[in-house]
Amino acid sequence: MPKLPLSLHDVTMLRPALLLIISALPVPAYADDCPNAQTAKLGFVLERQGTKAEVRPSSDHFVHVVNSYPGGKTQNVIYYRGFFPISRFDDTARSINIPVSDLRNVFPLEPKARRALTYAPARPDKVGELISLELTVTGQEQMQLGTCSYNVLIVRNRFLNAAGKATSEHTDLYSPELGFILAKRYEERGGAQSTMKYQTIRPLGKTSPL
């Protein structure tokens, strides 16, 4: 026997039950998967094109990062405030940046801030000449990493050798909320710019959705 269509009265009577069923259905918690200032302290994972960075904040504003590359190579990096690299170790190379300036005076970074620090690059068997780093926060912008959005500071880095000559420049896009650099921007010939950024972010320990 064919079923008759539901009447308006039937729909009205079923509405509370339907709302109860819908409310019980699981809803993807996309916002909960985006690390913030509080949850970032527990660690998070950044990924781009097969490269993965596991970021683990430590005590006294130091951050330990394990970089994994497509070829199987891994690299351990220690940062101060997730910005200045203190040491970088992998299977083939070891380098250390020995600060001469007090790094604590560089932070916090904020719009229009200008900072400077001096450090000596070193390897296990050699200490190089002093390098001066001039930091200028030129602005801020929003950056999208997958479904997550972060406000980042645009920090211009200008490196000078012992003679005061500029040797290189680049721009870091730094998230004060996460305490880490999310992208780097480089000037190309002809005034063009290229940006290398992470594509996704998730809390440490969570797997990526299928």
Side-chain angles (χ1 to χ4, degrees):
M1 180 177 179
K3 295 182 180 180
L4 296 176
L6 293 176
S7 65
L8 180 60
H9 174 73
D10 293 331
V11 173
T12 302
M13 294 297 291
L14 289 173
R15 183 177 298 169
L18 291 173
L19 291 177
L20 181 62
I21 293 172
I22 293 173
S23 64
L25 293 175
V27 178
Y30 294 114
D32 294 339
D33 289 335
C34 295
N36 55 39
Q38 287 72 40
T39 61
K41 297 175 183 178
L42 302 175
F44 53 93
V45 178
L46 295 160
E47 293 184 82
R48 68 163 177 256
Q49 299 176 347
T51 298
K52 180 172 68 174
E54 296 183 358
V55 182
R56 296 177 173 88
S58 185
S59 59
D60 299 319
H61 303 297
F62 288 97
V63 178
H64 175 214
V65 180
V66 178
N67 293 315
S68 302
Y69 299 97
K73 180 180 178 180
T74 60
Q75 180 187 69
N76 285 269
V77 187
I78 302 296
Y79 291 90
Y80 183 71
R81 293 269 190 168
F83 185 88
F84 181 77
I86 299 294
S87 64
R88 194 182 305 269
F89 294 168
D90 57 37
D91 297 337
T92 59
R94 296 187 176 188
S95 63
I96 301 173
N97 292 326
I98 305 171
V100 177
S101 307
D102 191 341
L103 290 176
R104 294 172 296 182
N105 295 332
V106 175
F107 300 89
L109 292 172
E110 54 194 13
K112 299 182 180 180
R114 297 177 65 90
R115 304 281 192 268
L117 64 93
T118 303
Y119 67 94
R123 300 193 303 269
D125 60 342
K126 182 181 180 181
V127 177
E129 294 185 349
L130 292 178
I131 295 176
S132 296
L133 172 57
E134 296 179 347
L135 303 171
T136 306
V137 182
T138 61
Q140 50 190 331
E141 63 184 66
Q142 286 293 122
M143 175 168 289
Q144 197 75 23
L145 299 183
T147 59
C148 305
S149 180
Y150 297 98
N151 184 49
V152 294
L153 296 175
I154 305 170
V155 187
R156 179 170 171 264
N157 295 252
R158 186 166 179 260
F159 297 86
L160 299 94
N161 61 19
K165 181 180 179 181
T167 57
S168 65
E169 296 184 16
H170 75 269
T171 297
D172 287 325
L173 301 181
Y174 178 75
S175 167
E177 181 180 6
L178 300 177
F180 200 69
I181 295 170
L182 301 182
K184 290 182 178 292
R185 186 170 289 159
Y186 301 92
E187 297 288 337
E188 305 289 349
R189 292 182 178 179
Q193 293 182 331
S194 63
T195 301
M196 294 182 58
K197 58 169 286 187
Y198 289 103
Q199 297 167 327
T200 62
I201 184 172
R202 57 182 168 82
L204 187 65
K206 287 197 173 185
T207 57
S208 300
L210 297 177

